[in-house]
Amino acid sequence: MVREIAPGVRSWASELDEATLEQAARVARLPILAGPIALMPDAHLGMGATIGSVIATESAVIPSAVGVDIGCGMAARRLDLCVEDLPDAGLDGWVDRMRAEVPAGLGRWHGEASVEATEWLADHDPPEGLDRSRVAAQLGTLGSGNHFIELAHDEAGAVWILLHSGSRGGGNQLATRHVKVAKRLHRALGTPLEDPELAWLQRGTPQFDAYIRDLGWAQSYARANRRLLLGATHRQLEAEFGRDLPVTDEVNCHHNYTELEEFDGRMLWITRKGAIHAGVGARGLIPGSMGQRSYVVRGLGNDDAYRSSSHGAGRRMSR
């Protein structure tokens, strides 16, 4: 049940520490907001804006609220494979193939771009300042931190590939650049801010337009990255089993991003920082803690939450 826990703060959180509440209240006091902020059930302290929050604005966007991993999110693919088909001895061969074919960890990516990455970049030119060869080599790689790939099975015993990744180094570089621009503009204007991380870019300025262009590219890159990761993982499973494994379902969703959406006849920038879109019928993924259940969900379209839902577990322990 939703509660208004501070002026301009709607909360669905079952647990909320004082520091997170104070942070949410700071965001709610910003003059650019188009309505109350919404805290998801997994809300917790973040950089500038609360992780697990949804922020609606009409004429401005806060780069730091989107975060440095633009378009970070989840993807899952269900295969025509039953958990009973998995060998009792485990999948060591698949794990070894994954280590070789799907680079994971800080500073690790493909030696050269894949054909799929090259084709994607031919249609999506990287923003100025990004190393084209590097973003190509990183497309289809996992990254570090709490990014992961795992195999899971559903109630019917069908095997799923489940993964978490985002826009890799290119998204980080773009986000860092625009956060610095926003902070510099606010310092030059002398705009009072309770937290410099909440500096925004105003619609109608070249800085805003540049950020929205780069944001769109990074969000598309993140979605393509997850698609390529699903494909690579799928191929290695087929190699392990020596047969085709048809796809029977697939979901791919962001949980760190901004989109222009209509609410009550107004076009608003909806920033989901650790939240997924949950419009009526929209499908999303909510991962549990390691070793716990994850969920494929379908949105109910709650406007009080800006048609959003939580993005995962993980409030009490860091990555």
Side-chain angles (χ1 to χ4, degrees):
M1 180 180 294
V2 63
R3 297 175 296 139
E4 182 131 349
I5 57 174
V9 180
R10 295 176 184 150
S11 176
W12 283 260
S14 57
E15 300 176 14
L16 202 63
D17 60 75
E18 192 61 33
T20 302
L21 176 56
E22 290 176 2
Q23 183 178 66
R26 281 196 297 274
V27 176
R29 288 192 287 269
L30 291 172
I32 58 170
L33 266 61
I37 72 166
L39 298 184
M40 301 294 99
D42 58 342
H44 56 287
L45 194 67
M47 178 69 74
T50 305
I51 299 170
S53 67
V54 186
I55 303 167
T57 54
E58 191 167 19
S59 61
V61 172
I62 308 165
S64 186
V66 179
V68 295
D69 194 356
I70 299 171
C72 183
M74 298 291 303
R77 178 178 289 183
R78 184 175 66 193
L79 306 177
D80 186 13
L81 179 68
C82 295
V83 67
E84 291 84 2
D85 298 330
L86 301 181
D88 293 337
L91 289 168
D92 290 346
W94 172 73
V95 172
D96 290 341
R97 287 188 176 93
M98 289 293 290
R99 288 195 179 106
E101 298 299 324
V102 182
L106 187 64
R108 299 197 62 217
W109 50 80
H110 295 293
E112 59 182 51
S114 67
V115 173
E116 295 158 302
T118 301
E119 290 175 348
W120 188 86
L121 284 166
D123 295 326
H124 303 81
D125 278 332
E128 184 178 352
L130 293 189
D131 184 325
R132 187 184 187 93
S133 62
R134 176 168 290 194
V135 297
Q138 288 186 340
L139 191 53
T141 65
L142 190 63
S144 60
N146 59 1
H147 293 167
F148 68 88
I149 297 175
E150 68 180 24
L151 298 183
H153 66 85
D154 60 23
E155 299 96 324
V159 173
W160 290 71
I161 301 166
L162 182 72
L163 61 87
H164 175 211
S165 193
S167 54
R168 305 293 281 111
N172 187 305
Q173 188 175 338
L174 293 172
T176 301
R177 176 193 305 173
H178 291 289
V179 168
K180 288 180 178 177
V181 168
K183 289 179 179 178
R184 185 168 64 246
L185 287 172
H186 279 261
R187 284 196 301 269
L189 293 170
T191 309
L193 285 173
E194 294 183 76
D195 183 346
E197 294 295 333
L198 297 177
W200 64 83
L201 295 172
Q202 194 72 36
R203 187 179 62 191
T205 66
Q207 294 87 355
F208 177 91
D209 293 341
Y211 178 60
I212 295 302
R213 283 195 303 271
D214 290 353
L215 182 79
W217 181 88
Q219 289 175 180
S220 295
Y221 182 98
R223 191 178 297 278
N225 187 47
R226 291 191 293 273
R227 178 176 54 80
L228 266 60
L229 286 168
L230 284 175
T233 306
H234 188 174
R235 287 193 297 273
Q236 299 316 313
L237 278 171
E238 290 183 323
E240 179 72 10
F241 284 89
R243 63 183 175 90
D244 290 342
L245 299 172
V247 178
T248 58
D249 198 1
E250 186 165 315
V251 185
N252 191 337
C253 65
H254 297 319
H255 55 224
N256 284 349
Y257 72 111
T258 294
E259 290 284 0
L260 195 59
E261 300 177 17
E262 183 178 355
F263 285 85
D264 295 327
R266 301 167 67 193
M267 296 305 295
L268 303 180
W269 291 101
I270 304 299
T271 297
R272 296 183 175 95
K273 185 182 179 73
I276 61 172
H277 178 241
V280 176
R283 301 178 76 212
L285 296 162
I286 303 178
S289 298
M290 186 179 293
Q292 303 299 312
R293 292 179 179 177
S294 297
Y295 298 88
V296 181
V297 298
R298 196 177 295 276
L300 298 177
N302 187 335
D303 282 351
D304 285 343
Y306 302 106
R307 302 168 201 153
S308 306
S309 186
S310 59
H311 83 308
R315 284 171 294 169
R316 293 191 175 187
M317 299 178 67
S318 72
R319 63 180 62 180

